[in-house]
Amino acid sequence: MNQEFDIIIIGSGAGGAPIAQEMVKKGKSVLMLEKGPLFQPQYLSDSGVSDFRRDELYATGPEKKITLDVSNKGEPYYSSHVEPDLNDEPHIYRHGGAVEEDRATLEGYTAQVVGGGTQLYGAVSLRFAENDFKLKSYNENRGYNLNGDPNGDVDREVRDWPISYQDLEPYYAKAEELIGINGTYEKQGKPFSSGNKYQTPLAPNPISQFVKNGMEAKGMDWYRTPLAVITEDHQPSGRKAGYAKTGYVNRYGDPMGFKSNTWVALLAPIKDEPNFDLRCNCTVTLLKSENRKIKEVVFLDESGETQTAKGKVVVVACSAIESTRLLMLSAQHDKNGFGKIVTQSGTNDLLGKYFLTHCFGGAETTVPGKYDKSISLDSDYATDFASSESFMKEKGLWAGAAIYNNTSDQALPISLARTHASQDIDTIWKGFVKNWPESGETPGVGEDLSRWIGNNFGTRLSVSFMANQVPLKGNRIELHPNVKDKWGRPVAYIIKKWHEHDRYLMDTVSSVCKDILIAGGANADRLGSGGVYLSENSRARIANHILGGARFGDDRNDSVLDKDCRLWDADNLFVTDGSFMPTSGGANPTLTIQANAYRIADILIQKYLN
């Protein structure tokens, strides 16, 4: 096999696939290394049967027990076939409570499979608001006091992006067209200067009328939620549209290829090109440097043998936690080489710091009547009401939020437990055995379980929000001092807390979500609302929006990456997953990661691979 390439890309998700696609089109030789397997949809499978088993998010395999030396040792968990085994490759997080303790979790693993988290996401593909790119400047001139920030942490810690919305706008449009997204842009609170690239959305599920009516009653402009699911034939990828309106498209691997994950949308169209080499089931272990360049990428191939490859450019895009961990492991292994590159003045001690997720939450209740929610995509209606400056000023917020309904949430019987009591994916079955609303009895099994499903299935509706989390240096990724993975390497250690203003923001915006449901005619007496900080395992809850840890900027003393997403003191190393974000944005991050990856692809051609 060829071991020298123009560019090596580690990770096949939102941060890596757009770059691979563009490089191949430009005639550059590309090696893409993906830790997980390649699962095909039906139309690409030789057998005509999809590789997805529809248990990707709902772990339905045999029960296992945590054997690691952590506080939740002995607890049961259920691995799916696109996640690592928790005992082999855990993430460890510091759990709050009367006593701080370390717990193992699968949170933070979006999916180990070609396409990464885009294989499983609900496909909500919102642009960030203009203000999300300049929150330092905005807050310096906001003219009002913030609620829940007595120490001025926002003013001290927030940073503007080194690029503006206008810089990224043409790349948003490019991503929307090449990936395949349906929705409407009228009444979105941001400009579409490159024009409308959306496909036409499907008719909304009838249950969503309660949300639309509620938004209108509260005076909110609404639009059809942009979703990365094709509703028309998609010429760039050669996919044919079909009956995509089913609950199996979201939160599962899509067996039909309608959901625009990065495999079917961007990589499958180039899979047979002679200058594209996709190697699956390969675990990258080290980046080796010489002077200011990465000279070799070391990885374990699918047989477990150590291999090396060389690239003129190396792109790391294996999700913020694992990308940060890879850089740290490489620095630890070679303290005088790559270690010095990482710890030069440009990066200071910032690698791993300012880890971000999202403030998220919402409101949920039942509605009159029953609806077939399996015939739905993930969301029908969205509003930018809570991202307006007038709303932020009225509520004393530092940043805004996107609000949208979850049409497909709890659309299938087993998924009623997915969000019941906000359970971690490690402990999904707890949703069936605690906090039972009808009888108060535990466990919820037998007739109790049957009655609960009958009373709730097809009646539940939720409205969610995504908002910026206050960036704090103390929120960070480290290498755990004791716990190691199956290869003997320190695992990622997630240390994170919610700021007081985060909690206030979540309370404030979840109340707006509640108001929408009430105004729309949903059942007010069964209404629950709140932010994720209220959940039992709130510090681990990160919505698979894994951001920060290697923020980019214009000041080499205040960022890990430069404006091009290049490590300041490495001439050929780039990080393009969510790690680069200095703030987490007031919406789902996937589209912004993809748009930025297209921006970086242009920069690589113009400045580094010309």
Side-chain angles (χ1 to χ4, degrees):
M1 291 185 182
N2 180 26
Q3 297 299 112
E4 296 191 11
F5 301 84
D6 289 318
I7 182 169
I8 299 174
I9 302 172
I10 305 168
S12 60
I19 296 174
Q21 181 198 52
E22 291 294 285
M23 295 298 107
V24 170
K25 287 181 181 178
K26 296 294 184 181
K28 305 302 180 183
S29 57
V30 177
L31 170 63
M32 174 167 276
L33 296 170
E34 167 56 48
K35 191 174 186 180
L38 171 61
F39 289 158
Q40 296 283 26
Q42 285 182 193
Y43 79 97
L44 289 174
S45 172
D46 292 337
S47 67
V49 177
S50 170
D51 294 319
F52 287 102
R53 298 205 307 251
R54 290 179 174 168
D55 72 340
E56 288 81 15
L57 192 56
Y58 310 106
T60 53
E63 180 185 85
K64 301 178 182 179
K65 300 281 187 179
I66 297 173
T67 60
L68 304 165
D69 189 18
V70 289
S71 63
N72 56 340
K73 182 177 181 178
E75 285 192 10
Y77 69 96
Y78 303 83
S79 291
S80 81
H81 68 297
V82 295
E83 296 165 339
D85 188 295
L86 187 54
N87 286 320
D88 289 342
E89 300 177 75
H91 285 154
I92 306 297
Y93 75 98
R94 184 178 292 172
H95 181 67
V99 178
E100 296 276 328
E101 56 186 17
D102 289 351
R103 296 177 65 87
T105 181
L106 279 174
E107 286 279 346
Y109 279 111
T110 50
Q112 289 188 177
V113 61
V114 175
T118 66
Q119 289 279 15
L120 302 188
Y121 70 157
V124 172
S125 297
L126 295 160
R127 296 183 177 194
F128 285 178
E130 289 184 274
N131 217 33
D132 287 325
F133 295 84
K134 53 181 181 181
L135 283 170
K136 178 178 176 61
S137 300
Y138 172 78
N139 279 278
E140 286 176 344
N141 299 286
R142 66 178 178 263
Y144 59 87
N145 294 326
L146 299 182
N147 288 311
D149 188 23
N151 298 318
D153 294 324
V154 166
D155 294 335
R156 182 179 63 255
E157 299 286 13
V158 67
R159 298 292 185 272
D160 287 346
W161 291 38
I163 59 174
S164 67
Y165 174 89
Q166 288 72 25
D167 293 330
L168 204 58
E169 197 282 334
Y171 295 105
Y172 271 135
K174 184 173 186 176
E176 288 158 351
E177 181 174 18
L178 294 181
I179 288 163
I181 294 174
N182 78 81
T184 60
Y185 73 99
E186 297 88 350
K187 298 185 180 180
Q188 288 199 41
K190 50 278 219 189
F192 279 65
S193 52
S194 297
N196 178 25
K197 307 298 181 181
Y198 291 144
Q199 293 188 345
T200 303
L202 299 170
N205 188 286
I207 199 172
S208 296
Q209 65 183 298
F210 295 95
V211 174
K212 174 177 173 287
N213 293 342
M215 289 178 176
E216 290 177 347
K218 302 300 293 185
M220 302 175 185
D221 287 335
W222 56 264
Y223 53 90
R224 294 299 306 280
T225 310
L227 298 168
V229 178
I230 58 169
T231 57
E232 305 164 9
D233 290 351
H234 186 243
Q235 187 276 328
S237 65
R239 285 177 292 153
K240 300 294 183 182
Y243 193 68
K245 200 174 172 70
T246 166
Y248 283 111
V249 170
N250 348 290
R251 306 167 192 269
Y252 290 87
D254 174 20
M256 304 304 293
F258 300 140
K259 180 162 61 177
S260 296
N261 61 71
T262 57
W263 167 244
V264 298
L266 304 180
L267 300 177
I270 62 171
K271 64 183 176 63
D272 296 324
E273 295 296 326
N275 55 331
F276 181 55
D277 188 350
L278 171 63
R279 302 188 195 175
C280 307
N281 301 302
C282 292
T283 300
V284 176
T285 57
L286 286 175
L287 305 176
K288 288 189 174 181
S289 68
E290 184 177 300
N291 298 323
R292 289 172 55 97
K293 289 189 174 183
I294 302 302
K295 298 298 289 184
E296 282 189 333
V297 174
V298 182
F299 62 97
L300 302 174
D301 64 19
E302 60 184 352
S303 67
E305 295 296 320
T306 299
Q307 304 286 347
T308 62
K310 296 181 179 181
K312 296 175 184 176
V313 164
V314 175
V315 172
V316 177
C318 44
S319 85
I321 293 173
E322 289 301 308
S323 290
T324 298
R325 178 182 174 225
L326 176 60
L327 297 184
M328 288 179 168
L329 288 171
S330 299
Q332 186 182 76
H333 178 81
D334 182 13
K335 294 180 180 178
N336 293 322
F338 189 74
K340 286 187 176 180
I341 292 176
V342 170
T343 57
Q344 291 292 336
S345 60
T347 56
N348 275 305
D349 65 339
L350 290 180
L351 180 62
K353 307 301 196 301
Y354 296 101
F355 174 64
L356 295 162
T357 58
H358 268 119
C359 294
F360 68 105
E364 181 191 50
T365 187
T366 58
V367 298
K370 279 184 177 286
Y371 299 84
D372 184 359
K373 290 180 61 177
S374 70
I375 307 174
S376 65
L377 297 182
D378 198 45
S379 176
D380 283 319
Y381 295 106
T383 180
D384 290 338
F385 170 82
S387 64
S388 67
E389 292 189 21
S390 60
F391 178 81
M392 290 188 282
K393 182 176 181 179
E394 176 190 353
K395 302 298 184 181
L397 297 173
W398 80 290
I403 294 175
Y404 55 90
N405 78 301
N406 294 113
T407 313
S408 69
D409 187 23
Q410 304 186 44
L412 306 171
I414 193 172
S415 64
L416 280 171
R418 172 64 182 99
T419 54
H420 186 61
S422 296
Q423 294 301 323
D424 190 341
I425 57 175
D426 303 350
T427 54
I428 178 174
W429 296 108
K430 286 184 180 179
F432 281 127
V433 298
K434 65 183 296 188
N435 300 320
W436 224 250
E438 269 68 41
S439 67
E441 300 173 359
T442 57
V445 296
E447 291 184 4
D448 191 44
L449 172 59
S450 178
R451 180 170 54 253
W452 186 77
I453 290 177
N455 290 341
N456 288 274
F457 190 54
T459 70
R460 287 192 170 268
L461 185 62
S462 60
V463 177
S464 297
F465 67 85
M466 289 290 165
N468 281 275
Q469 180 185 3
V470 173
L472 296 174
K473 192 174 184 180
N475 286 346
R476 62 197 187 273
I477 303 299
E478 296 181 352
L479 298 179
H480 198 277
N482 302 315
V483 182
K484 303 221 172 16
D485 65 17
K486 64 181 178 181
W487 295 290
R489 306 177 305 163
V491 303
Y493 191 19
I494 304 166
I495 301 172
K496 175 179 175 289
K497 66 179 180 179
W498 296 106
H499 189 273
E500 181 181 345
H501 187 78
D502 292 335
R503 297 192 290 270
Y504 168 75
L505 185 155
M506 285 187 261
D507 290 343
T508 300
V509 186
S510 64
S511 292
V512 175
C513 298
K514 180 171 64 174
D515 291 344
I516 290 170
L517 288 171
I518 294 174
N523 294 323
D525 59 337
R526 301 190 67 189
L527 189 67
S529 66
V532 70
Y533 79 92
L534 296 168
S535 67
E536 175 185 343
N537 56 340
S538 63
R539 294 196 189 184
R541 297 287 294 163
I542 51 184
N544 288 332
H545 296 179
I546 307 162
L547 312 166
R551 71 184 183 192
F552 74 160
D554 286 325
D555 182 354
R556 62 179 289 110
N557 293 305
D558 194 41
S559 55
V560 176
L561 310 173
D562 68 12
K563 182 178 179 179
D564 298 345
C565 288
R566 180 182 64 86
L567 193 71
W568 276 105
D569 290 287
D571 293 340
N572 67 338
L573 179 61
F574 299 78
V575 182
T576 59
D577 52 34
S579 306
F580 76 90
M581 293 187 181
T583 51
S584 52
N588 307 53
T590 303
L591 181 67
T592 298
I593 295 171
Q594 291 165 330
N596 184 68
Y598 277 119
R599 181 183 73 90
I600 298 303
D602 277 356
I603 290 170
L604 292 176
I605 291 295
Q606 295 163 7
K607 296 172 60 174
Y608 299 95
L609 289 172
N610 54 22

